[in-house]
Amino acid sequence: MARFHLTARSSNAKTGPIAVTTSSADTCPATCPFNNGGGCYAASGPLKLHWDKVSSGERGGSWLDLQTAIGKAKLAPGSLLRHNQAGDLPHDHGMINWPIVRYLKTIFQAAQLRAFTYTHHAQTDYNLMVVADCNAAGFTVNLSCDSEMQAARRHLEGFPSVCVVPADDARRSWEVAGVKVQTCPSQLKEGITCATCQLCTKADRACVVAFRAHGSGARKVSQRVGVDAFA
């Protein structure tokens, strides 16, 4: 069963001092190419230690417990919340669990938070419908794509999309199929965080965001990315 934990003020250097949630590992799809030893950033280092405790039940709780935690935290209206610094949207055998995601969306809306996240679930018609509904309601769900071309195509369909490029990719900004691709600003200039950038919070942004592979699994990730996949 999916579990959720709130950190009201993150010490993560990538996100900056914003609220973040961590979802249990069972929310991650088996189809994610970075899962199961594939180089996932969250599967190593201090974040993994925390993630393991959420997944085991030592920390966090149900979506109701998350609602209580957000209420107690008294987060300022309009503040950012990075949902899933580790984990993904809860699912049933690869189908995003729409009832739970709808509850999460309602919790974020009630607290007037600008919530955003990423999902690497298979891009089936059903899952895309759930993602589109979240984005329309103000809960930005970025599609994590398996190639630059896939991300460009999803962007043209109206989805906020991201992709991963090799760690040594020196490009800053380029075009794929007429769509602008922008390397994550925090990887281009020191001192930029999710808190100051906020590019991924914008569902209607004019570009795909590319993340250079990073962390202890960067070599594995770099070997996996770049395939022209579209599912």
Side-chain angles (χ1 to χ4, degrees), residues 182-196:
Q182 166 72 57
T183 298
C184 171
S186 73
Q187 294 182 314
L188 298 177
K189 184 177 181 180
E190 188 175 352
I192 297 179
T193 65
C194 295
T196 57

Side-chain angles (χ1 to χ4, degrees), residues 46-205:
L47 180 53
K48 182 181 186 301
L49 299 177
H50 172 59
W51 194 17
D52 285 346
K53 291 183 178 181
V54 175
S55 299
S56 69
E58 185 176 341
R59 294 178 181 170
S62 69
W63 64 269
L64 284 170
D65 296 314
L66 177 62
Q67 182 178 29
T68 299
I70 288 177
K72 288 182 177 179
K74 297 182 179 179
L75 302 173
S79 60
L80 291 180
L81 182 142
R82 161 68 192 277
H83 185 48
N84 297 334
Q85 65 168 341
D88 205 307
L89 298 176
H91 65 101
D92 296 308
H93 304 291
M95 293 181 62
I96 297 174
N97 189 314
W98 179 219
I100 294 181
V101 173
R102 184 172 62 240
Y103 290 134
L104 293 173
K105 179 183 68 172
T106 301
I107 292 169
F108 301 150
Q109 287 176 327
Q112 300 180 55
L113 301 175
R114 290 187 291 138
F116 69 104
T117 191
Y118 308 82
T119 182
H120 217 134
H121 281 296
Q123 295 174 10
T124 62
D125 289 344
Y126 173 82
N127 286 344
L128 290 174
M129 178 274 293
V130 174
V131 170
D133 185 83
C134 289
N135 283 309
F139 173 25
T140 301
V141 178
N142 293 273
L143 290 178
S144 293
C145 297
D146 295 328
S147 71
E148 297 172 30
M149 183 60 74
Q150 184 187 42
R153 289 172 175 170
R154 291 305 187 196
H155 174 85
L156 291 172
E157 293 172 355
F159 291 96
S161 303
V162 304
C163 62
V164 179
V165 295
D168 60 356
D169 193 318
R171 294 174 296 176
R172 301 173 65 91
S173 178
W174 64 100
E175 283 195 2
V176 175
V179 175
K180 180 182 178 181
V181 182
Q182 166 72 57
T183 298
C184 171
S186 73
Q187 294 182 314
L188 298 177
K189 184 177 181 180
E190 188 175 352
I192 297 179
T193 65
C194 295
T196 57
C197 173
Q198 303 184 25
L199 186 60
C200 290
T201 71
K202 300 175 174 66
D204 60 349
R205 63 177 179 268

